[in-house]
Amino acid sequence: AVVSTQSTGEVVHPKWELRHLRIKMTRGAVVQSENEEVGEFASRIRSFANRAGYKRGSPESDQACLDAFLNGLNARIAYKICTTPGHDESFEKAVSAARKKEIREMRLQLTSGKIAKSRDEDIEDFAERIRRFVDKAGYTTEAERSDVSLNAFLNGLSAKLTDELLSVDGVEDSFEKAVRAARFREEFAKLRRNADTNSEQDSRLDNSSQQDRSYRRESRTCYHCGVQGHIARFCQAF
């Protein structure tokens, strides 16, 4: 799909391919995916423009990137940045405005308890998801990061587990203490479930063994009297 010139070794895309890429950019075919952040989507737009033959930094390239970005951006964020003055003046201003809206939405999710631990997610994985979310939300000071992480973590756990954690001294002091306490309870619950399972299995084995012994005892026939239920050694007829 590409041609390399012998004189300079420069990679040149065929004109038909450049035209195809430019059409995709102008018609909104480059779309932000569900889990793609604004910065990642903007980088993809820049890469797409370079492949489409736009000269980096040129007004034409900036306008093409701006149009593709606004057309392919998440509809919710795109609607919100339309009220931001100057958002359509340049590609970089549009990216900056969208990034601010994205951060605001992330912070709202963190503070409103919308990040919940899933049933199949263990405590450490959930805590790591909170850490990544806080990193993306742009919190800078360590105190602020710890406070937001702690609140999001406690709000995302089950009500029963949260109540148990709040009864432990020091849990409300830091995010990491809360994670350690929750992990301890998770491991203890697993051990108790395993113990209950093993106890139930042992009980079933004991019952099965007793039934087998009872069956063997009842099925034997005495050689002396011919009566089933005992052996000759214990026969009462002689």
Side-chain angles (χ1 to χ4, degrees):
V2 296
V3 177
S4 178
T5 62
Q6 294 182 352
S7 59
T8 63
E10 180 184 1
V11 176
V12 180
H13 292 270
K15 289 184 178 181
W16 65 265
E17 185 177 353
L18 299 181
R19 189 181 302 111
H20 174 69
L21 292 173
R22 292 191 179 199
I23 290 174
K24 289 187 68 174
M25 289 189 69
T26 56
R27 293 185 179 179
V30 186
V31 180
Q32 181 183 14
S33 62
E34 184 178 356
N35 297 321
E36 189 175 32
E37 296 177 26
V38 166
E40 294 170 344
F41 179 52
S43 296
R44 188 155 60 90
I45 291 289
R46 293 188 189 95
S47 176
F48 212 93
N50 292 335
R51 289 166 50 203
Y54 290 105
K55 185 178 180 180
R56 185 175 299 181
S58 67
E60 184 184 23
S61 175
D62 186 84
Q63 187 61 48
C65 289
L66 174 61
D67 292 340
F69 181 73
L70 294 178
N71 288 330
L73 191 62
N74 177 291
R76 186 181 64 257
I77 297 179
Y79 174 78
K80 290 181 178 180
I81 68 171
C82 286
T83 60
T84 304
H87 76 278
D88 56 351
E89 292 179 0
S90 72
F91 175 53
E92 295 303 329
K93 286 185 178 181
V95 173
S96 177
R99 176 60 180 150
K100 289 178 181 179
K101 298 296 182 184
E102 183 181 53
I103 288 176
R104 187 174 301 172
E105 285 194 355
M106 286 183 175
R107 293 190 175 193
L108 180 62
Q109 290 185 55
L110 281 166
T111 56
S112 61
K114 293 184 177 180
I115 304 176
K117 177 184 174 296
S118 63
R119 178 174 297 181
D120 299 329
E121 189 176 33
D122 62 33
I123 291 295
E124 190 54 47
D125 289 340
F126 177 55
E128 184 59 31
R129 185 153 61 93
I130 292 289
R131 293 185 188 100
R132 291 197 301 268
F133 216 93
V134 170
D135 288 340
K136 294 176 181 178
Y139 292 101
T140 54
T141 66
E142 191 59 36
E144 189 178 31
R145 289 168 57 87
S146 179
D147 186 55
V148 170
S149 300
L150 175 61
N151 289 332
F153 182 71
L154 294 176
N155 288 332
L157 297 174
S158 66
K160 180 181 178 181
L161 180 54
T162 299
D163 290 340
E164 291 179 1
L165 292 178
L166 291 176
S167 66
V168 179
D169 292 337
V171 162
E172 294 183 89
D173 293 342
S174 75
F175 170 57
E176 297 303 331
K177 286 183 179 180
V179 173
R180 286 196 296 270
R183 192 167 57 238
F184 173 80
R185 274 161 175 71
E186 180 182 56
E187 293 172 354
F188 178 77
K190 287 181 180 178
L191 290 174
R192 188 164 60 181
R193 285 196 300 269
N194 291 337
D196 291 342
T197 300
N198 292 335
S199 177
E200 184 179 349
Q201 291 175 347
D202 291 342
S203 178
R204 286 200 297 265
L205 289 173
D206 289 341
N207 291 336
S208 176
S209 178
Q210 290 175 4
Q211 291 174 358
D212 289 343
R213 289 197 298 270
S214 176
Y215 175 78
R216 286 196 300 270
R217 183 172 62 251
E218 292 175 356
S219 63
R220 290 180 288 183
T221 301
C222 177
Y223 291 115
H224 288 313
C225 66
V227 176
Q228 185 180 14
H230 64 274
I231 60 177
R233 184 172 52 180
F234 301 111
C235 183
Q236 300 295 321
F238 295 92

